[in-house]
Amino acid sequence: MIVVPEIPSSPRLRTIGVLTSGGDAPGMNAAIRAVVRWADAHHVRTFGIQRGYTGILDRRVELLTSRSVANLIQRAGTYLKTSRCDEFLDPEQRRRAAQILRQWDIEGLVVVGGDGSLTGAKLLAEESGIAVIGVPGTIDNDMGGTEVTIGFDTAVNTALDAIDKIRDTADSHDRCFVVEVMGRRSGQLATTVGLAGGAETILVPEKATDFEAVVDSIDTSITRGKTNSIIVVAEGYGGGTGHDLTEQLNARGYHARACILGHIQRGGMPTAYDRNLGSIMGAAAAAHLTAGETGRMVSLQSGRIGLVDLDEAINGKRMDAVNMLELARTLAT
Ligand code: F6P
């Protein structure tokens, strides 16, 4: 249950922009819709900027109305499209972006994205005075200051659905499967789906991998009468790819198979949770931005929506993986 906060409703800014940046995440459209409709209801104009920061530099903007964002809440991806904009690392390009925003009278920007995107937002705000409010949107759930990011819940359920299906065939063939989920620097997705999917072993970037411990866990499972096992690995777990691990296991005599879930984890109809999180965070971002806040990100902590400094947000979430991994192992024996 997310507690909807008292949202400020006396806008001082009259024109804002909204963009999505970095990897898309299911629920981003709900956030875009909420920004536009909240602003519309409070007589604030919203420009939609296409393809993240690239769209500012390329002047790809459109004025959005409540009707522009109709029929969007149930769709994954991002209506505004997205990009990873390397040009924005250059201060000169950020200065140019601020100038362009001012030409359209855009006084503040809602940026929906992950840590790279919000780092760009922070620098833009500090260097140019353009107000920015971040909305955490990434399936990785690796932002600091918020317990959950938009898209995580849908990605967890997508990966879990795949793991359940893999378990069917693993069970039929008495096989070991290595399932690689996304997360270059974070094991949030891997631990959450691993525990929920009954994985025998979970490998994450936050904890060094010991190949012999993986072998031991499979052997222990076999000794205890289990005929199949699932090893969930985050893509950045540190021991190569899921294919590499599978090859290593097969070299030791296990007839393992690899399944790399990849980008399917970023698509699919957003869950109710992500639609609601996107809606509430998007509205809160528009409200706080137009009320004069800047340099902050909308967050969820203990069920309550609030704001945290962008510095805290982009510092990342430190996960204490040990207890979670231990519990998953105990419950899978
Ligand atoms: O958006 C986060 C993320 O999905 C990571 O989990 C993954 O490592 C990365 O994006 C993949 O990025 P790309 O789509 O650019 O290959």
Side-chain angles (χ1 to χ4, degrees):
M1 171 79 180
I2 306 169
V3 178
V4 179
E6 196 175 319
I7 295 180
S9 59
S10 44
R12 290 174 24 208
L13 271 51
R14 285 288 150 216
T15 305
I16 61 171
V18 57
L19 61 82
T20 50
S21 165
D24 59 316
M28 278 185 167
N29 278 330
I32 296 167
R33 171 182 177 268
V35 169
V36 173
R37 290 204 169 160
W38 189 93
D40 212 17
H42 294 84
H43 314 291
V44 174
R45 289 195 311 165
T46 308
F47 281 104
I49 298 159
Q50 289 207 337
R51 297 185 195 283
Y53 295 116
T54 310
I56 306 179
L57 299 171
D58 294 349
R59 300 170 192 268
R60 296 176 66 133
V61 288
E62 58 178 320
L63 195 58
L64 299 176
T65 67
S66 289
R67 291 290 64 75
S68 323
V69 292
N71 199 17
L72 209 57
I73 195 167
Q74 77 280 17
R75 283 165 48 197
T78 158
Y79 165 76
L80 290 173
K81 300 193 182 280
T82 185
S83 69
R84 301 189 193 275
C85 178
D86 290 341
E87 272 181 289
F88 218 66
L89 298 170
D90 177 357
E92 180 51 31
Q93 295 303 324
R94 292 196 294 272
R95 201 185 55 75
R96 193 160 76 83
Q99 259 179 6
I100 295 171
L101 290 172
R102 288 207 173 91
Q103 284 165 7
W104 291 314
D105 295 328
I106 294 177
E107 303 160 281
L109 207 54
V110 175
V111 175
V112 188
D115 53 356
S117 308
L118 298 198
T119 302
K122 175 181 134 63
L123 293 172
L124 180 71
E126 285 173 357
E127 293 164 359
S128 70
I130 300 274
V132 298
I133 292 290
V135 174
T138 164
I139 66 161
D140 290 351
N141 195 26
D142 59 350
M143 309 284 304
T146 186
E147 284 155 17
V148 196
T149 56
I150 296 167
F152 179 64
D153 187 63
T154 307
V156 164
N157 283 292
T158 301
L160 189 58
D161 179 55
I163 288 174
D164 288 347
K165 287 171 177 156
I166 289 166
R167 182 74 79 178
D168 293 339
T169 178
D171 182 41
S172 304
H173 285 265
D174 294 340
R175 265 179 185 155
C176 165
F177 265 85
V178 173
V179 182
E180 184 189 290
V181 299
M182 276 189 164
R184 269 194 290 237
R185 291 183 303 271
S186 169
Q188 288 276 332
L189 195 51
T191 48
T192 307
V193 301
L195 183 66
E200 279 66 24
T201 304
I202 305 169
L203 304 178
V204 293
E206 290 86 345
K207 189 172 179 294
T209 303
D210 175 4
F211 178 67
E212 292 310 319
V214 177
V215 170
D216 276 355
S217 83
I218 302 175
D219 289 347
T220 307
S221 294
I222 294 170
T223 315
R224 296 176 75 105
K226 286 189 125 178
T227 59
N228 64 82
S229 55
I230 289 188
I231 302 169
V232 172
V233 303
E235 61 180 332
Y237 80 100
T241 65
H243 283 299
D244 295 334
L245 178 62
T246 308
E247 271 177 33
Q248 275 179 285
L249 288 171
N250 289 343
R252 294 281 282 267
Y254 302 94
H255 299 284
R257 294 288 188 274
C259 183
I260 314 295
L261 296 187
H263 287 79
I264 63 161
Q265 294 160 96
R266 290 230 297 253
M269 194 182 266
T271 59
Y273 185 86
D274 276 330
R275 296 183 202 192
N276 288 338
L277 191 64
S279 298
I280 298 168
M281 285 187 161
H288 285 296
L289 179 69
T290 55
E293 284 281 357
T294 183
R296 313 194 79 191
M297 181 189 80
V298 181
S299 71
L300 181 76
Q301 288 176 343
S302 305
R304 303 193 78 83
I305 296 287
L307 290 174
V308 294
D309 286 344
L310 282 176
D311 274 327
E312 185 183 351
I314 61 189
N315 243 334
K317 199 193 309 287
R318 265 160 294 281
M319 179 178 70
D320 185 3
V322 177
N323 292 346
M324 184 80 149
L325 299 182
E326 196 53 50
L327 177 65
R329 191 171 308 123
T330 306
L331 300 186
T333 50

